[in-house]
Each structure stands twice: as C-alpha cells, then as structure tokens.
Amino acid sequence: MKICTTISEARVACRDVHANRKRLGLVPTMGALHEGHLSLVRAAQARCDAVAASIFVNPTQFGPTEDLSKYPRQFDRDCRLLEEEGVEILFAPPVEEIYPNSNHQVSWVVVEGLSEKLDGRSRPGHFRGVTTVVSKLFHIIEPEAAFFGQKDAAQLAVIRRMVRDLNFPVEIVACPIVREPDGLAMSSRNAYLTREERSRALVLQRSLQEAGRQFQAGERIAAKLISAAKEVLSREPQVALDYFEIVDPDTLDPVERISQKTLVAVAAYVGSTRLIDNIVVEPESSSTLSYEGAPPIKH
Ligand code: AMP
C-alpha cells in the first residue's frame, strides 16, 4: 500500500492507477477504522480495479464545542487493516496540507437547504465542512466511484446532491450499516461510551425497531411511528434525544404518510457522545424493512 501524505504524491499515485486504465474506488474516512469502514473497502474492491482510502479528521466539519481534539486516532492499526484489505493507496494528509490557509479558508462547497436538515440542523456548518473536504478529495484522487455508509444517511443525501449539481464524474455507492452483534451501529465514537452508556445506547436501535415493527404491522402515518419511537426513547431518560424524523431519503423533507422508500432516522446524546442510526422502510416490497445486519425484530 502506498501511503501518501501530500496532495502531489497522491495525485501521482492515482494517475498511475488511471494510466493502467483501472477503475479507482475511493473510501473516505476519518480513521479509527472498524468493520463498517472495512465493508466500504470490500464493496469498493468488488466494484473497482483499485481502491484508495483516505484518513483525515476534517476540522471544518466539527463545531467549536465538538470532539475534534479527542477524536480517536490509531493510524498504525488503520494502516495494517487497510493493507490487509488490499488497499492500493492511502491518502493521509496533515491538516495544513488540506487547509494551508488555516483560519482563512474562504472557498466552500455548500449544498443549500439539505445541509440544514437532520444532522445539519443540530450541527451548523457540519455539512459545509463535509462537502468541501469531499470535493477536495474528489479533485485530488479523481475516483470513478466513491463509497459511503448508509449509517450517515443525511451525509449521503447531501453528497449525492452535490455530485449531481456540480457534475462530479463520480458514482456514489451507498453501503449498508454494519452493526455490533447486539445491533448497535458501529461507529468510531462508540469508543467514548462507558459500559453503562454502551448499554443505554441500544435504545436508539430499539426506537427504530419499534417504528419498524409498527410499520410492518401496517401503520403508515409518520407522526404515529414517531410518537411510538419517542415513547421507547423516553424509557431511557439518560439518553437525550436530538431528533427522531421520518423523511424522504433524497430531500430529507419530513414525510406525513409513508408511500415509498422512506428514511427513519434518529440522533441522540448518550452522555456527551452523539450517536446516529437509521432504517429505511418501503411499503411496495410488502413487509420489507431494510435494517441491515440487525438482529431479528422481537415481537
Ligand atoms: P467516518 O470515519 O465516521 O467519517 O466514516 C467514514 C465512512 O464510513 C462514512 O461513509 C460512514 O458512513 C461509513 N461508516 C461509518 N460507520 C459505518 C457503519 N457502521 N456501517 C457502514 N458504514 C459506516
């Protein structure tokens, strides 16, 4: 695996791949890798001839009171894992390489409207940081395809829209949520949880399961599903709900009655750790409930 820390090194390495007429897949990450990240790498391996991964804890997507300084960093372990997966290129630049003007960045990529919904509403400026850094990565790596987790469903909607509006020649591939055996969605931030918090965090998926169960039973009114899910969340008073929303997966606008593929998304603070999770429900395919990797719903 070639490890590149400068933009020019990364450009040379990626252009070498393209010179061999290989289709290059990109997996952007902030490191502290887990099976969720590795599933993206495997999806990229399956659809591309070569895979580039990036590790960059992007300061511009963190708010002033967020966890930038304590975000987990385990570079050597990450390199080993990526190497084992057969990743060809790792782009892991220092902050100054991506933001040489530090506090004087004046050019941003902004997806208006969508960036203020769901996580964007609770984390002002977050998606502007994401879309700006992803644009930079697309320009540097020039991948044919880029792989993102359905776990960050709002991020996926924002990036898809950016790619469409700005004509990036990149296929965006969404990959299913990878979960721990008990159903908790994998996240680098799970490392912050104490043992008690780790067990409280399961209420996020229980709330989604309750909404999913009622959906399967025929309920289509979003408000009813939301109130059932919130009832479940209220049984864990130490978990502070940020949002529980039922929205169109592309526009992120609230849906009143579910008649097509719909995103059911939750975000909550477990102690000081903000966690997110979601399921996708779809009426047409009868009782289909897309809740990838989760344990069966208990009735
Ligand atoms: P992060 O390092 O948290 O920025 O995540 C990098 C990529 O991995 C994003 O596209 C995430 O959506 C994806 N990802 C994170 N957790 C999971 C998970 N549990 N399952 C699938 N993809 C994930």
Side-chain angles (χ1 to χ4, degrees):
M1 181 170 74
K2 173 138 188 56
I3 300 176
C4 307
T5 55
T6 66
I7 292 170
S8 54
E9 275 176 317
R11 279 199 209 281
V12 169
C14 295
R15 287 185 179 161
D16 275 354
V17 169
H18 283 125
N20 291 320
R21 300 184 150 275
K22 286 186 182 170
R23 179 177 154 87
L24 181 60
L26 171 66
V27 178
T29 82
M30 297 205 298
L33 302 181
H34 51 65
E35 277 297 312
H37 298 112
L38 300 182
S39 75
L40 306 188
V41 172
R42 289 172 201 140
Q45 297 282 22
R47 296 174 72 124
C48 300
D49 306 309
V51 177
S54 61
I55 295 180
F56 182 64
V57 182
N58 175 33
T60 63
Q61 69 189 67
F62 286 77
T65 61
E66 292 182 356
D67 55 342
L68 173 63
S69 60
K70 69 165 185 168
Y71 196 83
R73 287 163 170 88
Q74 16 186 279
F75 188 68
D76 293 343
R77 180 176 175 272
D78 289 349
C79 284
R80 206 178 58 244
L81 292 171
L82 294 173
E83 191 125 44
E84 279 166 16
E85 294 296 331
V87 166
E88 251 180 62
I89 298 164
L90 170 59
F91 181 45
V95 172
E96 318 77 71
E97 183 71 8
I98 298 297
Y99 298 110
N101 302 319
S102 57
N103 296 329
H104 307 293
Q105 170 98 5
V106 292
S107 304
W108 299 96
V109 177
V110 180
V111 178
E112 292 179 350
L114 269 186
S115 293
E116 280 88 55
K117 292 175 182 164
L118 299 190
D119 307 289
R121 189 181 315 118
S122 335
R123 304 181 67 188
H126 169 67
F127 284 130
R128 181 183 79 160
V130 170
T131 42
T132 299
V133 82
V134 169
S135 301
K136 283 171 174 268
L137 291 171
F138 286 177
H139 287 309
I140 295 162
I141 307 291
E142 299 183 306
E144 274 72 29
F147 296 76
F148 294 89
Q150 172 64 29
K151 156 105 186 319
D152 296 82
Q155 169 174 283
L156 204 45
V158 170
I159 288 172
R160 282 207 158 109
R161 188 60 202 249
M162 174 189 85
V163 163
R164 215 172 49 236
D165 283 357
L166 298 182
N167 310 99
F168 280 95
V170 182
E171 181 195 0
I172 301 301
V173 181
C175 301
I177 300 176
V178 177
R179 297 173 181 282
E180 301 286 356
D182 63 4
L184 183 69
M186 286 191 181
S187 163
S188 305
R189 290 191 166 98
N190 291 350
Y192 299 148
L193 302 172
T194 64
R195 220 145 63 102
E196 291 80 50
E197 287 172 344
R198 170 69 183 70
S199 117
R200 282 186 202 123
L202 291 172
V203 76
L204 271 79
Q205 63 129 352
R206 281 204 300 276
S207 69
L208 293 169
Q209 281 179 324
E210 180 58 21
R213 193 184 62 74
Q214 297 211 5
F215 173 82
Q216 276 187 321
E219 183 59 67
R220 294 291 181 267
I221 306 299
K224 293 204 173 151
L225 298 175
I226 292 171
S227 82
K230 285 189 173 170
E231 206 280 312
V232 171
L233 284 155
S234 71
R235 289 183 222 147
E236 201 63 83
Q238 313 249 34
V239 171
L241 181 63
D242 178 356
Y243 66 72
F244 191 102
E245 289 200 44
I246 297 187
V247 299
D248 179 285
D250 298 320
T251 64
L252 304 182
D253 285 331
V255 163
E256 277 180 24
R257 193 177 185 289
I258 300 174
S259 58
Q260 55 192 4
K261 201 170 173 184
T262 299
L263 175 68
V264 182
V266 63
Y269 288 89
V270 184
S272 56
T273 306
R274 186 174 181 281
L275 299 178
I276 58 174
D277 200 350
N278 67 79
I279 58 174
V280 174
V281 293
E282 191 169 9
E284 282 82 2
S285 29
S286 67
S287 55
T288 304
L289 171 66
S290 157
Y291 190 47
E292 300 94 348
I297 292 166
K298 295 190 190 87
H299 293 280

